[in-house]
Amino acid sequence: MSGLFWQKVKEPWAGFSRRDLFRQGGLLAAAQAFGGSVKQAVAAPLNLGPDMYQSIGVRPLINARGTFTIITGSQTLPEVKRAMDLASRGYVQMDELMDAVGQRLAEITGAEWGIVTAGCCAAITNCTASAIAGGNPERMQRLPNVAGLKNEVIVPAYSHNVYDHAARMLGVKLAIVRDKSEIEPAFNERTAMVYILGGPNDDGPLGTRAFAEVARRKKVPVLVDAAAEILTLKPNVHLDRGASAVAYSGGKCIRGPQAAGLLLGEKSLLQGAWINSAPHHAFGRSLKVGKEEIMGMLAAVEMWVKRDHKAEWAQWESWLDQIAASVKRVDGVTAKVNQPSADLSNRTPELIIQWDGAKLGITGTELMKIALDTEPRINLSRGTGTRSGNMASTVGVVPYQMQPGEEKVVADRLYALLSKPPKIENPPAPPEAQPATLAGQWELHLDFVHLSADHTLVLEQDGTRLMGTHHGEFASGDLSGTVAANNVRFQSSLPTDGTRVSFQFTGTADGGKMSGTVALGEYGEARWTAVKHQYRTGGGRRG
């Protein structure tokens, strides 16, 4: 295993869509390939000008990756900015505002009703609260205590993901359905809702139509999570399949406020979702959406039907053509545009640039990191290629959220890095000393950014290879890694609800002790120590 495998990069989940992340083993799946790191910004006085971010030590970037929340989603439309500014200059009664916006959203979209929420996850939470408590204040005040209330949400197996935490936070139990024959028996008197993550499986045997047919008879609402999808209107594809409601992220392809979401569907269910959220005193009080986000989201939906989507697509392709022409001037570099699948999420072309890393002296993984670390700062959509390993390299460019003029910056920067890459040393060879003996059981202690935990490691060793089991607080998973002299590196992945939690351990061994750091992907780093378990031997019988 090469040293670069363990080298930290800033974005371990780069190149993965929202849906890819949990399908490939959870939100931290990509962290099995790359560790994450977070740099502290240097605090300074705020300057309200073009260099606002820089004034407090934060470096803006060019988004050539897509609508990821970690890099602040999308760029709001000019009309959205203006709507939010104007909304901030007056006072309104919030129930009256949402009622008027709901009617207007219904007119534009063809849905029975609509509300604006504090993001897509907030829409899921508020809709779940409505499905459990409706507009009944006595029930609303009990949440998240669901004793005596409907307390189960049905989820098809392909939809069980890290985002269903937004429904689970109400205290409900998930009923996972893995086969069509299990759909009808999954419904009972405790069933509050069906939750489905939008995607290619929606029209399959466990898709929206299949569940909606049964749910309709049982009078159970069906919610579809379509966070990163394009907005389909008159009819909405999910409502047309029988869903009761569909939730969108406002700050992705719709280009509304980042802290806003959109919920469309049955009027009474959505009005219940609104009553269960702020400004009302209910479980959703913390999921507050302001008048600025509400009007900005309405403006984004108004603009969705006015925008020239074909012209936008043509502009994206022209940017990619310009970037491709620039990088192909480097001998051995090829480029091609990949068109999206039929999936409605993150619909954008992507430029894939390919080369032999051994020939050019830089891998795609290295180029991606350098582009993010240096100026002009560019976040590319993916990077592959491993030094001293498989050096066949690629990087990806997604134009989805790039702004006019940035295509030239990206084209020039990628050409410069490919034509005259910085000198990059091969990772140092592993020490040739006898590897430390690590086989056995180890008591593992983890110190997180806040609080700590005790786990157990059971290691097997074959020369420099490590394998075994990592026992966490609630689950266990396989581990694998290497030991070179006293340098230890191994990785593990523990299953949790809807995802997996990944660990990247690096450290040193000294007799019966080990210590080092563990990369936790988007959750930062922790310190770890481990002490080898000592088994009792011998001993006589006590009298």
Side-chain angles (χ1 to χ4, degrees):
M1 188 176 296
S2 74
L4 188 60
F5 184 91
W6 301 98
Q7 182 180 334
K8 295 171 188 172
V9 295
K10 288 185 172 58
E11 306 273 348
W13 45 88
F16 292 79
S17 72
R18 184 178 191 264
R19 187 170 295 106
D20 289 338
L21 286 168
F22 91 84
R23 284 183 178 165
Q24 299 195 31
L27 189 62
L28 301 183
Q32 293 181 359
F34 304 110
S37 66
V38 178
K39 281 191 175 180
Q40 288 285 90
V42 179
L46 177 65
N47 179 6
L48 294 178
D51 62 345
M52 180 177 69
Y53 288 121
Q54 294 93 327
S55 73
I56 58 169
V58 175
R59 298 168 54 227
L61 53 83
I62 291 175
N63 181 357
R65 178 180 168 192
T67 58
F68 288 83
T69 301
I70 193 67
I71 53 172
T72 63
S74 63
Q75 181 76 254
T76 55
L77 296 166
E79 294 81 2
V80 173
K81 292 179 173 68
R82 178 161 173 75
M84 295 180 73
D85 178 59
L86 292 172
S88 72
R89 298 172 184 272
Y91 294 93
V92 292
Q93 205 281 342
M94 291 292 285
D95 287 323
E96 294 175 2
L97 176 63
M98 192 60 82
D99 187 63
V101 169
Q103 294 182 53
R104 180 57 187 153
L105 288 172
E107 293 170 4
I108 300 170
T109 66
E112 189 175 311
W113 203 248
I115 64 170
V116 177
T117 62
C120 184
C121 279
I124 296 168
T125 300
N126 295 337
C127 192
T128 307
S130 179
I132 297 170
N136 183 331
E138 188 178 12
R139 293 181 180 180
M140 289 161 60
Q141 293 307 312
R142 287 181 61 82
L143 297 179
N145 178 1
V146 291
L149 303 176
K150 292 186 176 183
N151 59 8
E152 292 185 8
V153 171
I154 297 172
V155 181
Y158 75 88
S159 285
H160 187 24
N161 69 91
V162 70
Y163 299 102
D164 61 33
H165 201 285
R168 289 190 286 116
M169 65 192 293
L170 269 300
V172 299
K173 172 186 174 183
L174 297 188
I176 310 300
V177 174
R178 293 176 171 81
D179 185 82
K180 188 175 182 178
S181 63
E182 300 174 2
I183 294 178
E184 182 106 22
F187 287 81
N188 58 58
E189 68 279 1
R190 298 180 300 279
T191 304
M193 190 178 77
V194 177
Y195 166 81
I196 297 174
L197 182 73
N201 292 309
D202 285 358
D203 55 0
L206 293 180
T208 304
R209 291 186 191 280
F211 278 95
E213 189 276 326
V214 180
R216 194 177 299 108
R217 286 191 278 108
K218 306 285 187 178
K219 296 183 179 180
V220 171
V222 176
L223 170 65
V224 173
D225 173 358
E229 289 190 3
I230 61 172
L231 190 56
T232 53
L233 307 176
K234 296 184 177 181
N236 177 276
V237 63
H238 303 292
L239 299 179
D240 196 44
R241 288 171 176 160
S244 311
V246 55
Y248 292 91
S249 170
K252 295 189 185 298
C253 64
I254 304 175
R255 292 185 63 184
Q258 175 64 191
L262 181 65
L263 189 63
L264 303 174
E266 294 177 2
K267 183 174 182 178
S268 64
L269 178 66
L270 269 60
Q271 288 184 326
W274 170 244
I275 290 295
N276 276 272
S277 68
H280 314 104
H281 296 87
F283 183 82
R285 172 75 186 192
S286 61
L287 305 175
K288 182 184 291 185
V289 59
K291 60 184 182 293
E292 296 84 3
E293 287 79 19
I294 292 172
M295 297 310 292
M297 193 69 245
L298 176 59
V301 176
E302 296 269 7
M303 288 306 301
W304 182 264
V305 297
K306 298 177 182 178
R307 287 163 56 184
D308 189 337
H309 297 283
K310 288 184 177 179
E312 287 180 359
W313 197 281
Q315 185 180 55
W316 298 338
E317 289 185 327
S318 71
W319 290 346
L320 296 184
D321 288 343
Q322 182 175 336
I323 296 167
S326 178
V327 298
K328 286 194 292 186
R329 291 180 292 160
V330 180
D331 186 36
V333 174
T334 62
K336 64 177 181 178
V337 174
N338 283 349
Q339 297 295 340
S341 66
D343 189 0
L344 297 174
S345 285
N346 295 301
R347 286 193 59 78
T348 170
E350 180 183 21
L351 180 68
I352 303 297
I353 302 168
Q354 299 174 300
W355 70 93
D356 181 350
K359 179 180 176 182
L360 268 61
I362 187 171
T363 68
T365 306
E366 293 162 348
L367 188 151
M368 183 178 182
K369 185 175 187 302
I370 292 169
L372 186 61
D373 286 348
T374 59
E375 296 294 341
R377 195 177 191 200
I378 302 168
N379 199 161
L380 299 168
S381 65
R382 67 184 70 212
T384 65
T386 303
R387 188 165 293 273
S388 302
N390 181 6
M391 294 188 71
S393 295
T394 65
V395 292
V397 178
V398 167
Y400 204 18
Q401 297 303 321
M402 288 171 57
Q403 300 303 299
E406 293 179 342
E407 73 282 0
K408 185 178 188 309
V409 177
V410 174
D412 291 347
R413 184 62 176 146
L414 293 184
Y415 172 75
L417 288 174
L418 289 168
S419 60
K420 294 181 180 178
K423 185 173 178 56
I424 301 173
E425 300 291 339
N426 286 325
E432 295 183 0
Q434 184 73 16
T437 301
L438 302 179
Q441 180 173 316
W442 295 77
E443 306 308 323
L444 172 66
H445 181 77
L446 296 162
D447 287 312
F448 300 103
V449 64
H450 181 58
L451 303 181
S452 60
D454 292 314
H455 294 188
T456 300
L457 302 174
V458 179
L459 300 180
E460 300 175 34
Q461 185 172 351
D462 181 7
T464 61
R465 292 179 60 239
L466 293 177
M467 62 214 79
T469 307
H470 177 181
H471 298 281
E473 292 183 293
F474 309 105
S476 299
D478 292 342
L479 66 81
S480 62
T482 61
V483 53
N486 68 335
N487 294 324
V488 182
R489 295 171 176 174
F490 58 93
Q491 62 181 3
S492 62
S493 176
L494 305 184
T496 65
D497 274 314
T499 184
R500 300 186 72 88
V501 179
S502 296
F503 300 80
Q504 295 278 345
F505 293 88
T506 62
T508 56
D510 182 9
K513 297 181 179 180
M514 294 189 291
S515 63
T517 60
V518 53
L520 305 169
E522 67 170 308
Y523 305 116
E525 285 186 346
R527 299 289 304 177
W528 67 278
T529 57
V531 178
K532 196 166 189 179
H533 183 76
Q534 299 298 318
Y535 292 92
R536 286 188 176 184
T537 58
R541 179 181 176 184
R542 289 187 176 183

